[in-house]
Amino acid sequence: MAELATVCPFCGCGCGLYLHVIDDVVVGVSPSRAHPISQGRLCVKGWHAHEMVDNPQRLTHPLVRRGDELVEASWEEAVEVAANGLRKVADSAGAQAIGVLGSARCTNEANYVLVRFARGTLGTPSIDCSQRIHSVPEVALNAGNSRPGLDTGQIADLDESDLILLVGSDPTEEHPAVAARVYRARQRGARVISVSTRTHPLAALADVHLPVRPGGELKLLGSILHVLLVEQGMAGDADVSGLPELRASVADLPPEETQAATSVPAEAVREAALLYASSKRATVVYSTGLALSLHASAAAQSLENLAALGASGAGPKATVLGLLSRNNLQGCRDMGVAPDLLPGYTALGDDAAVEKLERAWRCELNRETGLASWQMMGKARAMYIMGDDITRTMPGAGVAREALASLDFLVVQDIFMSPAAAMADVVLPAAAFAEQDGTWTNLERRVQRIHRAVSPPGEAREDWRIVAGVSGAMGKPISYEDAQQIFEEIKDLLPVYAGVFYPPLAVNGGIRWPTAQPRDAGGAPAAREKIGVAAPPEDALKESAAGAETSDEYPLLMAADPTLRPWDGEVTVCHTLTAAGEFTVMDQDYPDGMLCLNPEDAKRFEVRGGRPARVVSATGEGQMQVRVTDEVPRGIALVPYNQAARSGPMEVSSQPVSGRPVLAPTPISVGPVQ
Amino acid sequence: MNNPYLPKLATIEKVKTETYDTTTFTLRLDDPEERKAFQHRPGQFVELSVFGAGEAPFCIASSGHGRDTFDLSVRKVGHVTGALHEMGEGGQVGIRGPLGNSFPFEEVAGKHILFVGGGIGLFPLRPQIQEVCREADRFAAITVLYGARTPEDLVYREELDRWQQQEGMTCLLTVDTASDGWTGNVGVVGTLLTKIEIDVSNAVAFVCGPPIMIRFVVQDLSNMGFGENAIVTTLERHMRCGIGKCNHCMIGDKWVCKDGPVFTYGQMREMTEFEE
Amino acid sequence: MTARMLPKNRIEEFVGRLLEQAEVVAPRRVEVGDVFYGAVASAEEVAWDYGHAVEPLKRFLLPQRETMLRYSTGDKVRVEAELDEQERVFLGIRCCDVTGIGVLDAMFGGDTPDPYYMSRRERSTVIALTCLQAPDETCFCVCCDAGPFLAKGYDQQWTSLPEGMLVEVGSERGEALVRSNDDLFDEASVDQVAARYRLAREAEQTFGDFKSYIAGAMSKLSMNEVDPKVWEQAALRCMECGGCTYLCPTCSCFTVTDRMEDSSGVRERHWDACLYSCYAREASGHNPRPEREDRLRARFFHKISYQWAQRNGRQACVGCGRCVVGCMAWAHMPAITEGIRRGVMT
Ligand SMILES: Cc1cc2nc3c(=O)[nH]c(=O)nc-3n(C[C@H](O)[C@H](O)[C@H](O)COP(=O)(O)OP(=O)(O)OC[C@H]3O[C@@H](n4cnc5c(N)ncnc54)[C@H](O)[C@@H]3O)c2cc1C
Ligand code: SF4
Ligand code: FES
């Protein structure tokens, strides 16, 4: 039995684990104690990571559609069919009509090659990754004050903090390795403040918990800033750009004023603010609960403001840790899997940088801004999907399925027969994480090596090789020796990865970018250039004040909770052998959606736990199964985001600036099913 | 070493549809030696392998007297049961067992034997009813009370008819919800208890059914004056190994597969995990 | 006690001879610095100075995933069992882990022995290595009668002295190993034996704060007197990762699954954890332990109740401290027993 060090393929934490291999089969997993993230721990997903590798349901052969059926084909044939199909759509509808989706599950190298394939070979600017809809740094990016990804903290900051502020984050569900640090920090005396609608376990244990009404987050953070800046006079005359504007913007937001919009008692807000002010070193953690709200950018900016104040010497020193949900969501973005960027955050208009890429790739690149994943729905005529769970991530009932069904041509590259793969014209079997070399970049920009421990099943191949193969069949060969060679090119071409080297196995925990000195594992990110704060846009504050109004007709406010059961139904965890049950119960017990209600509301609306209830909103109606729990405040109904995204009564809205679709809090009425 | 995980091969002799979702499979072990060695008592169960699908526990639903075959009555609920329902006569399955303990028999001789079954809870009771009937003169009286959700859910229809006609035996049926043509009792099975005459000081009750039915019936019986140890039931739990190794069936300090599945109400109350 | 000395310069020779007859599983450092028990090719690979292995020996007796049966489903079904018949010497194993094997023996032996486990166990020789100081701040074997030195449960127990290994023999198997390598072992001197007892006493003093109040918790658990609040509070901590059970030397729950490849099937068993919500869930959807607090209570009852201690010969915690390291939150053995004692989780 050999232990091979690699990285967990699930959440953005990037825990170090060992795969146990006997005779080219992975038979188990152990945590790494020496690894800076896992420190000897794994969550339920990590402990079962091996089960999705040697799994009888893996895709093993290329498949090509014949009528209603997908039939086995040779690689040559499948690649040929894929190339011809894509070419045909490009000829008839133009290259822009092809949408390409990369994946936060796949390596940096695969995503990098995919960008080259999309913008160079196909000539389409529409490349994206639908998991990005759940991403955080973009929020920070949209907030406008920071260079991409550069000012997030790192997980180890939690070990040094005496105060942890959790905003819209339930790390016990989404980021277990972060939760582990919070529990340990608590144990050694650190204080915890929680801001989220649901009283999740860490909220229940928090020193102060502010159960905010969905949509009230921005106002609540504004009130916290009001207490700090106005009431406490924090930052007095500190030389921070934007400070007067910020102070003015929160002048009218004493907690008493916002109480109606946030449902949080003013005393609690004040208590939280004072507790924050009294700390020496704070870590501010936020996640999808904030990132998927309507005014996420402005709210994230409020948190950035706290860090900026700290950095200027006013208020506690603080770092902001925006948590990404997927193992390589950060890397996916770093590699330029986005319609408005090129690899390494190269701007489309930066001619010199684009030409550098063109020279390296020996092709011309499409320099336009393409369609985002949600814009592709219904607009793209053909799609090439590499490991993207679009049917699960795209908000709106049936939106993705309908869009895929209406395509002229669909190629899906994956390790399992995902719902998208089942609809494809060509299915290309890919190697799993334990079967390919490469790198992933975790939520703190830690570039880590993953390692080929066993051979792929059947004829499955590494992701980047598949993409390169299709490109070759379209007359634009992409040739690399191996993943390392691709990485060397990334490092040479992309300033953000400069100094990062292809980590050999012995470098446990990888290397964080940007790093001034190569070989300085875990090197600190470059310091912030200039300290500044920014006031939230006025209309954001106003709008969020309005919020979604309940009425006698629709007395409850239903909101999608992305921190609740975030992994249920995900294609890889559902294919573990022993843990699968943990990730499929939602569909068994709550097939139409788990409607979490406070006991008092359940009584008032005469619905019972485990039983279906009728849910009616202005947009539609449907049925969901009720779970009665005092984790949910009165007047609110929470539904796991993944289920809400498929639910008729849920309203889909879009974030300002980014245009990302979000599920808006929706007033509903609830009653028993007759 | 004897491998208790190795199934013995058996062939499906007969398939009989009981209800829309329940079928009785009559099985015969392939190997004559194994067939001879397969001695089972009412209350025991087997682990059945449907090759390619998996393994699941089922109680032996027939008395072993004078037969070298045995019945399993199976409701289709999932993966293994679904695959079994696809199989027909002549199909090969795997059998491990008999497993677990069994109902008291000699210990209850001379008493009024009361059976209370709900839904598919009649499966484990059937071999005991058959054996008690066979030696009816050794018991003071035999009463069978059986309830199902609807008339369509009643299993063992012909046998129920026979029991209803058998001398010295009372057999009452009820359904929760009547459908067209049903002229019998309507109500939960506990309501039948008021319709019988029984001397509780010399009686023992065998109760099987869904957890909630057991809870209510046990309450009724206690109220009637049945002692804790005069109420006998079988517990159902998620099982994997059936031999006290995997711990899936554990309840308090007992393995249901090995220390049970038959327990008296008194034993159940002693279990730390038991909720009343 | 009959004790022998294996002088320093003969250890290599001894291990070499073991390697001729068996797979030798010993602590060894893997590339990035963690220590695992694993097969070694020479004495040189053994990390004699190790603290604690990331995992106990369990994997070598009860693999995380193992094949139980293979079958073909053609015209006639054919079923075959597969047993691991490799001879193994477990060398340099920590006392807590050796004690853990004793608990597994009770669970997998008994009146229905588990052939897969027993096949490996009967072919294994266990050589314990005593701890001269607490290997880790999380160790609490002293509270569990499972170290840092053992009185029984091993085939041989080695204590590292400056001049070599003091070897205590605990079984016929251990004695046979001495006999067949007679030329390598010397008689131990009285001083050397005395040193062993002095070292044992000194070692016990080095154990830190992670006391586990097993005895007190055991009596409350066994009598069903634990304040339900403790379980509710523990449930706010437990994240159901399963790590405590997977890392525990004595947790042995497994599940069984069948998988098909063409017309041949494999029945496998995999580690499972009683803390998972679907562990006891029945096909009907009924779950006898629906809440996390129910599952926590059941787990700790199985680990350290008097009832199960009676069935297994001892309570099932050996104080290795791995659940303290591996717990995602703060619901490990010392935290829970402390909570039970105080009636509240801190
Ligand atoms: C002692 C005993 C006797 C039983 N006798 C009968 C019988 O005579 N007739 C009958 O129809 N059913 C009986 N059952 C229930 C039957 O075992 C389950 O319906 C069956 O396991 C479902 O398997 P599945 O693969 O079809 O369901 P799935 O849901 O696809 O699989 C669930 C898996 O979980 C386990 N499991 C789930 N629910 C149960 C459960 N209630 N009991 C045990 N294991 C479970 C099984 O191992 C099964 O493989 C009995 C159960 C026990 C414990
Ligand atoms: S916390 Fe995240 S990275 Fe760590 S084991 Fe769990 S899923 Fe994997
Ligand atoms: S079913 Fe495995 S212990 Fe009872």
Side-chain angles (χ1 to χ4, degrees):
Chain A
M1 183 147 56
E3 301 87 0
L4 289 160
T6 188
V7 179
C8 171
F10 296 113
C11 87
C13 296
C15 286
L17 54 77
Y18 293 95
L19 293 173
H20 295 271
V21 177
I22 299 180
D23 298 337
D24 207 25
V25 178
V26 277
V27 294
V29 161
S30 304
S32 166
R33 268 199 201 188
H35 190 276
I37 305 298
S38 49
Q39 299 181 323
R41 304 177 286 267
L42 291 174
C43 78
V44 57
K45 299 182 290 299
W47 271 111
H48 296 271
H50 62 294
E51 293 177 1
M52 68 138 169
V53 179
D54 182 32
N55 186 302
Q57 295 183 48
R58 284 285 301 279
L59 293 172
T60 52
H61 294 276
L63 304 171
V64 172
R65 180 162 302 280
R66 297 256 153 71
D68 285 345
E69 259 184 288
L70 283 165
V71 296
E72 270 183 29
S74 69
W75 268 108
E76 292 69 32
E77 186 192 348
V79 165
E80 207 44 52
V81 175
N84 286 339
L86 293 169
R87 204 179 287 126
K88 219 164 106 194
V89 172
D91 288 347
S92 62
Q96 312 84 281
I98 304 175
V100 178
L101 293 178
S103 175
R105 278 200 253 136
C106 298
T107 60
N108 287 328
E109 292 73 14
N111 281 298
Y112 176 81
V113 170
L114 189 73
V115 173
R116 175 170 168 182
F117 171 67
R119 292 215 182 241
T121 307
L122 294 175
T124 176
S126 299
I127 172 158
D128 200 357
C129 155
S130 74
Q131 288 137 335
R132 191 167 66 93
I133 296 173
H134 299 202
S135 102
V136 164
E138 234 193 324
V139 170
L141 185 67
N142 295 334
N145 81 325
S146 48
R147 284 178 298 153
L150 274 190
D151 45 5
T152 56
Q154 55 176 324
I155 292 175
D157 291 344
L158 291 162
D159 299 345
E160 274 138 43
S161 301
D162 62 344
L163 185 124
I164 294 163
L165 172 58
L166 293 172
V167 186
S169 168
D170 174 3
T172 66
E173 293 253 11
E174 279 195 293
H175 300 93
V178 167
R181 304 288 181 121
V182 180
Y183 278 109
R184 274 163 179 72
R186 247 194 105 251
Q187 218 60 37
R188 63 164 169 72
R191 303 305 199 87
V192 179
I193 302 172
S194 144
V195 179
S196 64
T197 309
R198 186 165 55 90
T199 311
H200 53 73
L202 277 169
L205 292 171
D207 296 274
V208 187
H209 171 52
L210 311 178
V212 61
R213 184 177 171 80
E217 298 86 358
L218 185 58
K219 288 230 142 188
L220 180 66
L221 296 176
S223 282
I224 291 178
L225 279 170
H226 173 91
V227 176
L228 295 176
L229 295 177
V230 180
E231 296 182 12
Q232 297 296 310
M234 184 191 272
D237 49 3
D239 177 27
V240 176
S241 71
L243 186 57
E245 293 81 358
L246 177 62
R247 195 177 276 127
S249 77
V250 299
D252 298 338
L253 297 178
E256 287 74 11
E257 283 302 310
T258 56
Q259 195 165 327
T262 64
S263 300
V264 179
E267 314 83 75
V269 178
R270 210 161 266 126
E271 191 190 347
L274 295 180
L275 186 59
Y276 178 84
S278 71
S279 72
K280 294 197 171 54
R281 174 76 175 78
T283 302
V284 180
V285 177
Y286 73 102
S287 177
T288 52
L290 189 73
L292 271 61
S293 67
L294 195 55
H295 294 288
S297 327
Q301 178 64 60
S302 305
L303 301 177
E304 298 282 341
N305 288 341
L306 287 176
L309 289 170
S312 76
K317 199 162 164 313
T319 37
V320 179
L321 196 52
L323 303 181
L324 291 160
S325 48
R326 261 328 286 226
N327 56 325
N328 199 30
L329 196 45
Q330 175 76 45
C332 200
R333 186 124 180 101
D334 294 349
M335 293 306 116
V337 180
D340 52 352
L341 279 176
L342 283 168
Y345 302 93
T346 306
L348 291 164
D350 182 346
D351 289 341
V354 179
E355 274 157 28
K356 198 166 126 198
L357 281 171
E358 287 181 332
R359 268 198 307 281
W361 290 350
R362 292 182 303 280
C363 62
E364 241 175 80
L365 299 180
N366 184 318
R367 302 188 187 195
E368 283 157 40
T369 296
L371 302 175
S373 60
W374 60 90
Q375 293 165 325
M376 292 176 198
M377 303 296 94
K379 289 216 189 91
R381 299 305 329 137
M383 289 185 79
Y384 189 104
I385 301 180
M386 174 177 87
D388 189 283
D389 309 311
I390 179 115
T391 51
R392 197 167 167 274
T393 39
M394 192 57 59
V399 168
R401 274 170 200 273
E402 277 165 33
L404 294 180
S406 74
L407 291 174
D408 296 336
F409 193 66
L410 174 61
V411 183
V412 174
Q413 164 181 338
D414 210 319
I415 65 173
F416 290 111
M417 187 59 86
S418 65
M423 300 169 80
D425 297 288
V426 180
V427 178
L428 304 172
F433 80 103
E435 297 150 2
Q436 49 186 324
D437 286 309
T439 58
W440 284 334
T441 307
N442 86 340
L443 61 83
E444 27 161 43
R445 302 179 312 281
R446 193 180 283 281
V447 183
Q448 307 198 81
R449 238 325 267 292
I450 62 157
H451 190 74
R452 177 178 169 127
V454 292
S455 332
E459 297 180 18
R461 289 182 183 171
E462 293 110 305
D463 285 300
W464 70 263
R465 262 186 226 282
I466 299 176
V467 178
V470 178
S471 185
M474 300 188 75
K476 300 253 177 78
I478 296 179
S479 42
Y480 296 101
E481 283 292 309
D482 52 18
Q484 175 159 7
Q485 199 193 9
I486 304 173
F487 189 87
E488 298 299 338
E489 183 178 307
I490 292 173
K491 183 189 76 178
D492 289 345
L493 288 180
L494 312 186
V496 290
Y497 274 58
V500 181
F501 59 95
Y502 194 62
L505 269 180
V507 175
N508 203 21
I511 298 131
R512 294 184 69 216
W513 73 259
T515 163
Q517 313 97 330
R519 305 213 152 254
D520 168 21
R528 195 181 276 270
E529 281 170 347
K530 179 169 188 298
I531 296 169
V533 291
E538 240 172 83
D539 41 343
L541 263 179
K542 258 203 224 97
E543 254 179 67
S544 88
E549 298 293 350
T550 50
S551 59
D552 286 348
E553 194 185 357
Y554 301 120
L556 280 169
L557 188 63
M558 174 170 75
D561 185 348
T563 68
L564 186 57
R565 305 285 318 193
W567 289 91
D568 258 84
E570 199 273 343
V571 64
T572 53
V573 284
C574 285
H575 283 95
T576 58
L577 288 164
T578 57
E582 305 294 311
F583 302 106
T584 52
V585 281
M586 202 57 60
D587 278 343
Q588 288 165 26
D589 291 352
Y590 305 96
D592 308 305
M594 178 170 78
L595 189 75
C596 301
L597 291 177
N598 182 281
E600 283 184 33
D601 287 329
K603 209 157 132 206
R604 185 168 145 220
F605 298 108
E606 297 172 342
V607 293
R608 282 178 37 212
R611 309 303 294 256
R614 214 169 85 92
V615 177
V616 184
S617 78
T619 7
E621 66 169 276
Q623 164 173 319
M624 289 188 202
Q625 286 72 28
V626 176
R627 176 167 162 250
V628 180
T629 166
D630 44 23
E631 287 173 13
V632 179
R634 259 172 302 153
I636 307 288
L638 291 180
V639 183
Y641 179 94
N642 294 317
Q643 288 181 319
R646 294 186 263 120
S647 147
M650 200 87 210
E651 269 173 42
V652 181
S653 176
S654 64
Q655 286 177 344
V657 189
S658 75
R660 290 202 313 201
V662 288
L663 298 171
T666 309
I668 55 163
S669 70
V670 166
V673 172
Q674 297 311 325
Chain B
M1 191 187 303
N2 166 41
N3 187 340
Y5 297 104
L6 195 63
K8 308 184 243 291
L9 295 179
T11 299
I12 301 175
E13 292 270 300
K14 211 169 107 199
V15 178
K16 179 170 177 293
T17 305
E18 298 285 351
T19 72
Y20 54 95
D21 66 352
T22 304
T23 304
T24 297
F25 297 87
T26 302
L27 304 179
R28 176 199 297 257
L29 292 174
D30 291 353
D31 182 288
E33 290 300 313
E34 287 176 347
R35 213 179 301 147
K36 216 182 294 157
F38 192 80
Q39 300 291 331
H40 56 96
R41 297 286 313 143
Q44 288 192 293
F45 69 99
V46 293
E47 283 281 353
L48 172 109
S49 289
V50 178
F51 293 105
E55 208 179 28
F58 301 97
C59 61
I60 303 172
S62 56
S63 156
H65 260 284
R67 287 179 62 170
D68 65 353
T69 60
F70 58 95
D71 297 343
L72 302 182
S73 295
V74 176
R75 173 184 273 178
K76 188 168 146 184
V77 296
H79 191 57
V80 174
T81 50
L84 180 63
H85 276 245
E86 298 288 302
M87 295 184 75
E89 282 162 23
Q92 255 185 325
V93 294
I95 291 291
R96 293 195 292 125
L99 301 167
N101 66 356
S102 55
F103 288 122
F105 190 82
E106 290 305 325
E107 298 86 329
V108 299
K111 293 186 193 265
H112 183 159
I113 310 292
L114 170 64
F115 294 98
V116 188
I120 64 171
L122 198 57
F123 300 161
L125 293 178
R126 183 181 178 229
Q128 180 81 342
I129 299 174
Q130 289 176 340
E131 298 211 352
V132 168
C133 284
R134 224 175 54 89
E135 300 183 41
D137 45 1
R138 296 183 58 202
F139 300 92
I142 307 168
T143 305
V144 176
L145 308 181
Y146 177 46
R149 262 186 327 127
T150 70
E152 288 71 41
D153 287 286
L154 292 167
V155 295
Y156 305 144
R157 301 297 280 264
E158 292 147 30
E159 222 159 346
L160 289 172
D161 285 346
R162 242 182 293 135
W163 294 339
Q164 283 180 314
Q165 267 135 49
Q166 183 160 332
E167 229 176 292
M169 185 165 172
T170 315
C171 178
L172 302 180
L173 309 182
T174 181
V175 295
D176 297 352
T177 323
S179 51
D180 291 347
W182 177 258
T183 52
N185 297 308
V186 177
V188 294
V189 67
T191 57
L192 295 179
L193 286 169
T194 57
K195 300 194 167 105
I196 57 164
E197 270 183 40
I198 191 161
D199 171 12
V200 294
S201 67
N202 186 40
V204 58
F206 294 89
V207 186
C208 288
I212 151 142
M213 168 250 162
I214 293 191
R215 195 172 331 146
F216 283 111
V217 169
V218 163
Q219 229 165 47
D220 293 342
L221 292 172
S222 300
N223 294 343
M224 287 166 71
F226 274 85
E228 281 186 349
N229 294 322
I231 304 173
V232 183
T233 183
T234 65
L235 286 179
E236 220 183 77
R237 279 266 157 157
H238 183 133
M239 289 187 182
R240 288 296 175 183
C241 70
I243 55 173
K245 299 295 174 202
C246 76
N247 295 329
H248 270 274
C249 67
M250 183 183 289
I251 165 164
D253 62 342
K254 299 278 190 293
W255 288 294
V256 171
C257 66
K258 193 168 181 216
D259 303 317
V262 176
F263 293 99
T264 65
Y265 179 53
Q267 287 169 326
M268 281 166 55
R269 290 192 58 170
E270 274 174 26
M271 293 173 182
T272 47
E273 259 193 271
F274 181 69
E275 313 111 45
E276 296 196 43
Chain C
M1 176 183 86
T2 47
R4 316 287 214 298
M5 271 308 289
L6 180 61
K8 242 192 177 127
N9 55 8
R10 292 190 210 141
I11 293 176
E12 200 181 323
E13 170 65 19
F14 180 67
V15 175
R17 289 192 199 170
L18 293 179
L19 277 164
E20 282 165 20
Q21 302 152 19
E23 183 177 286
V24 176
V25 172
R28 73 210 200 299
R29 234 165 233 113
V30 301
E31 216 159 339
V32 300
D34 283 316
V35 175
F36 280 89
Y37 293 128
V40 293
S42 72
E44 242 172 48
E45 270 184 60
V46 182
W48 296 108
D49 60 341
Y50 79 120
H52 221 353
V54 173
E55 291 196 344
L57 265 183
K58 183 165 74 183
R59 214 178 261 287
F60 291 88
L61 296 167
L62 178 70
Q64 188 166 9
R65 163 183 174 190
E66 86 177 297
T67 300
M68 301 177 87
L69 306 172
R70 287 182 193 281
Y71 51 81
S72 56
T73 60
D75 263 357
K76 275 256 164 239
V77 175
R78 288 195 36 210
V79 192
E80 271 167 30
E82 224 177 62
L83 296 184
D84 177 353
E85 298 186 338
Q86 174 70 49
E87 290 282 340
R88 287 192 183 88
V89 177
F90 298 124
L91 173 67
I93 308 304
R94 289 292 178 219
C95 296
C96 49
D97 293 336
V98 173
T99 310
I101 299 177
V103 180
L104 291 179
D105 287 349
M107 291 171 168
F108 285 98
D111 51 7
T112 319
D114 182 287
Y116 303 96
Y117 178 90
M118 293 315 284
S119 171
R120 295 190 176 91
R121 184 65 183 96
E122 283 164 3
R123 290 173 180 77
S124 60
T125 305
V126 181
I127 301 178
L129 179 65
T130 57
C131 296
L132 301 185
Q133 59 175 35
D136 221 323
E137 56 180 16
T138 50
C139 291
F140 59 95
C141 59
V142 281
C143 310
C144 300
D145 190 22
F149 283 59
L150 289 179
K152 59 175 196 306
Y154 50 79
D155 294 315
Q156 290 186 357
Q157 173 166 264
W158 291 11
T159 299
S160 178
L161 300 180
E163 55 276 35
M165 293 292 180
L166 180 87
V167 177
E168 295 167 79
V169 172
S171 72
E172 183 40 46
R173 195 185 267 269
E175 181 60 39
L177 207 50
V178 172
R179 231 181 294 124
S180 55
N181 296 285
D182 214 13
D183 52 325
L184 299 180
F185 291 88
D186 297 337
E187 283 303 315
S189 71
V190 175
D191 283 351
Q192 285 166 334
V193 173
R196 177 243 183 255
Y197 283 97
R198 180 174 44 78
L199 289 171
R201 260 195 322 277
E202 286 171 11
E204 281 185 22
Q205 304 309 314
T206 63
F207 283 78
D209 298 336
F210 270 100
K211 297 269 180 322
S212 190
Y213 302 91
I214 304 267
M218 182 190 273
S219 87
K220 280 199 180 172
L221 263 166
S222 311
M223 314 284 287
N224 211 1
E225 283 169 359
V226 179
D227 190 335
K229 262 208 327 283
V230 172
W231 301 122
E232 281 164 34
Q233 292 165 341
L236 288 177
R237 290 158 174 83
C238 174
M239 280 159 63
E240 287 181 36
C241 67
C244 56
T245 61
Y246 291 170
L247 290 169
C248 179
T250 71
C251 270
S252 59
C253 291
F254 61 83
T255 187
V256 180
T257 63
D258 280 34
R259 52 185 284 176
M260 281 304 279
E261 273 153 19
D262 302 325
S263 68
S264 62
V266 180
R267 180 162 296 163
E268 289 182 340
R269 69 175 168 194
H270 294 249
W271 289 353
D272 202 349
C274 59
L275 291 166
Y276 292 157
S277 61
C278 57
Y279 178 83
R281 191 187 153 100
E282 293 159 18
S284 60
H286 172 71
N287 192 340
R289 294 199 277 267
E291 301 299 329
R292 200 172 284 168
E293 44 261 45
D294 307 328
R295 300 191 284 275
L296 280 162
R297 188 175 55 150
R299 171 163 195 267
F300 284 90
F301 186 84
H302 189 209
K303 292 257 81 142
I304 56 170
S305 72
Y306 179 72
Q307 287 90 327
W308 281 107
Q310 277 237 306
R311 288 190 95 154
N312 292 330
R314 61 160 287 145
Q315 49 86 357
C317 174
V318 295
C320 71
R322 289 195 183 84
C323 58
V324 181
V325 176
C327 182
M328 274 286 175
W330 208 254
H332 44 71
M333 181 62 77
I336 297 279
T337 51
E338 167 85 0
I340 291 176
R341 190 174 70 102
R342 294 213 206 169
V344 60
M345 295 281 299
T346 48

